[in-house]
Amino acid sequence: MWTLFFMVSTGPAEAADLPSPEELESAFAKIYELAQQVPFKIRTTEAQHHQRYLLQQRSQPEEKLAYPGPGILPINENKGFMFISYTGEVQPSGFLPVSAGNVRNDSVRDIYRDSELFQQLRDSTNLHGKCGDCEFREICGGSRARAYALSGDIFAEDPSCAYIPRTRRKEKVGLAIHLGRHCQ
């Protein structure tokens, strides 16, 4: 297995170092192409939208939102993952410095299952911006660490994603039609 780690800035000052959403889409295409040619699995970390890209490569549209199958798992800061710091703080990710509790006071199981933070993160209706509108939000959900680092809002849209959700594309088309009629 080869794991590719995608950068998460630790603050707004490092945002200029991040690849653009378009550069990431290009990287996803290259990873996808390479994965067809090599005998090992390629995994990404902190690139939740890579899961969306993989689903879009499927030939049957009805398959896209079904269980994604091997190699495409919805594991991120809100589903199936947590980080425990050396002081016992339990965080959704090592790059998301927000504590859900401490193992010195509560069990890991109770923190993961019952803490308000993890419960809010597992509820995709809490996502804002285009992540909240996205039809892939259950499988992707965007990087909460990247959103938090760049906006201070744990539920903000992931600024590294180039995808425009279907509902937003329809709104833009409707707005263009409306504006076109208004201007005539």
Side-chain angles (χ1 to χ4, degrees):
M1 178 176 289
W2 183 33
T3 301
L4 300 169
F5 186 89
F6 286 76
M7 183 180 166
V8 174
S9 82
T10 55
E14 294 179 359
D17 294 332
L18 290 173
S20 72
E22 294 75 24
E23 289 170 323
L24 288 176
E25 289 291 310
S26 177
F28 295 160
K30 290 174 184 171
I31 293 166
Y32 181 78
E33 184 180 318
L34 179 62
Q36 311 307 308
Q37 301 167 15
V38 296
F40 51 87
K41 301 275 184 198
I42 299 175
R43 179 178 168 236
T44 59
T45 299
E46 279 303 327
Q48 288 83 343
H49 43 310
H50 183 241
Q51 308 301 341
R52 181 255 320 146
Y53 182 89
L54 292 174
L55 287 174
Q56 289 178 301
Q57 302 314 303
R58 292 189 172 182
S59 60
Q60 300 298 318
E62 63 275 3
E63 293 178 359
K64 288 185 178 176
L65 296 177
Y67 175 74
I72 308 175
L73 299 173
I75 297 173
N76 56 27
E77 300 107 325
N78 57 349
K79 296 176 183 169
F81 186 86
M82 72 173 132
F83 175 82
I84 302 173
S85 77
Y86 72 95
T87 62
E89 293 300 317
V90 178
Q91 300 167 287
S93 160
F95 299 98
L96 185 54
V98 180
S99 179
N102 193 295
V103 296
R104 294 174 182 172
N105 304 321
D106 296 298
S107 78
V108 171
R109 189 195 86 214
D110 289 346
I111 294 170
Y112 183 76
R113 287 184 180 175
D114 302 329
S115 74
E116 184 178 352
L117 177 60
F118 277 107
Q119 287 182 12
Q120 288 175 340
L121 285 168
R122 283 190 291 271
D123 182 356
S124 67
T125 62
N126 287 325
L127 298 175
H128 304 157
K130 68 181 182 178
C131 287
D133 294 338
C134 188
E135 62 272 21
F136 295 102
R137 74 180 183 216
E138 293 300 328
I139 194 73
C140 171
S143 170
R144 302 298 91 226
R146 193 173 292 112
Y148 183 76
L150 296 175
S151 73
D153 179 357
I154 199 168
F155 298 108
E157 67 182 53
D158 183 343
S160 68
C161 183
Y163 183 71
I164 305 296
R166 277 188 218 143
T167 56
R168 290 193 171 208
R169 284 180 279 173
K170 290 176 184 177
E171 289 172 4
K172 287 183 177 185
V173 170
L175 181 60
I177 291 169
H178 176 73
L179 290 174
R181 288 185 185 151
H182 187 294
C183 295
Q184 291 178 348

